[in-house]
Structures are given as C-alpha cells and as structure tokens.
Amino acid sequence: MKRVQVLCFLVSSILFLSHAVAGSNSEPKKLSKKEKKEQASREDGRRLIQGYECLSCHVIDGKGSTGGPNLDNLKRSNEFVVEQLLDPEKHVAKNAAAFNFEPSLMPGGLLSRAEAMSIAAYLLRNQSKRKVEKTPSIKAKLK
C-alpha cells in the first residue's frame, strides 16, 4: 500500500506540473450552469486521480505507469467505469469477458459514489469523439 501511495504522489505531482505548464492566456468562454457543473466534476476527478495515485498503475493523459490498463481513450460507458471504480473485483467477475478473464489487481472500497462519478467524468471527458464499445458477454467470448 505504501508503494501505491508513493506512486500516486508522484503521478499527482506530474499531473499538477503538466497542468500548470499547459495554462492558457486566452479569455475563458462563458459556460452554462450545466457546463460549469460538468467541468467542476471533471476537475474533481482529475484531483482525485492525483490524490489516489492512480498513475502509479495506469496511464492517463499519456502519463503514468503501464502496470495496469491504459485509461486513455476509454471506450466504455459511464456506468461501466463507475462500477469498476467502486468494486473492481465484483465488476471484473461480473464482466469477465471484458477483462479477458483476468482478476482485478485494483484496490476496492476506497471511493464514494460521488468520487467514482467524478473520476469517470474526467476519464470519459473526450468520449463524444469515440465510439463506446459494448461489454462482451461471456457467451460471446467462449464461442
């Protein structure tokens, strides 16, 4: 667990520095209330990813470790991602074919539903540009 904390700290530091360097000098556009809420949720997700040191195992925004699945360009539904974040072992068992029948090494029970939803919002923020894949059924995988 100590290793995960150290890795998450390193990842969060990298994300913070990359965000600070990538700042923009242009005037921000006015956002609707819905856009502001979505943006706040995504920003919370980014901070949570840093705080929980997700980059110690995952690649996010081209940064991090390859120990776990790359989370750039996810093609999953919001519900799929939230369920995975809340209870990885149960979710992998339920969707074994989507995970190539491999067990989850991700720690579970760390996030509240609100935190999981914010992280999912951040991970899926560019999803409108991608086609969401349906989760393969176990029957389809066995054929």
Side-chain angles (χ1 to χ4, degrees):
M1 190 66 176
K2 180 89 171 165
R3 183 178 155 263
V4 171
Q5 291 174 331
V6 169
L7 289 174
C8 287
F9 172 76
L10 290 174
V11 170
S12 61
S13 298
I14 290 168
L15 281 175
F16 174 78
L17 290 174
S18 65
H19 181 70
V21 170
S24 173
N25 292 332
S26 63
E27 289 287 322
K29 85 170 199 174
K30 297 237 178 192
L31 301 175
S32 69
K33 284 184 181 181
K34 181 181 177 187
E35 289 172 323
K36 286 179 184 176
K37 185 175 180 182
E38 289 170 356
Q39 186 178 45
S41 179
R42 288 190 300 265
E43 184 59 25
D44 288 344
R46 186 187 66 77
R47 283 193 294 269
L48 289 164
I49 286 168
Q50 291 174 353
Y52 283 107
E53 302 175 356
C54 301
L55 295 176
S56 61
C57 295
H58 298 282
V59 171
I60 302 171
D61 298 331
K63 298 172 182 80
S65 174
T66 58
N70 184 326
L71 301 180
D72 282 343
N73 304 312
L74 280 179
K75 296 178 183 174
R76 298 290 182 193
S77 70
N78 187 67
E79 179 182 338
F80 185 95
V81 175
V82 170
E83 284 183 21
Q84 174 64 20
L85 292 168
L86 289 174
D87 193 342
E89 287 185 36
K90 181 179 175 184
H91 190 244
V92 168
K94 177 181 163 187
N95 299 286
F99 294 95
N100 295 320
F101 299 94
E102 304 223 356
S104 175
L105 301 177
M106 188 169 141
L110 301 175
L111 304 172
S112 68
R113 177 163 285 284
E115 289 174 322
M117 291 174 70
S118 291
I119 291 172
Y122 182 78
L123 294 173
L124 300 173
R125 68 196 179 283
N126 297 321
Q127 191 177 59
S128 61
K129 301 170 189 170
R130 300 185 295 270
K131 182 180 177 186
V132 176
E133 293 178 5
K134 295 207 182 240
T135 304
S137 69
I138 292 177
K139 290 178 186 176
K141 189 77 172 182
L142 295 176
K143 287 185 181 180

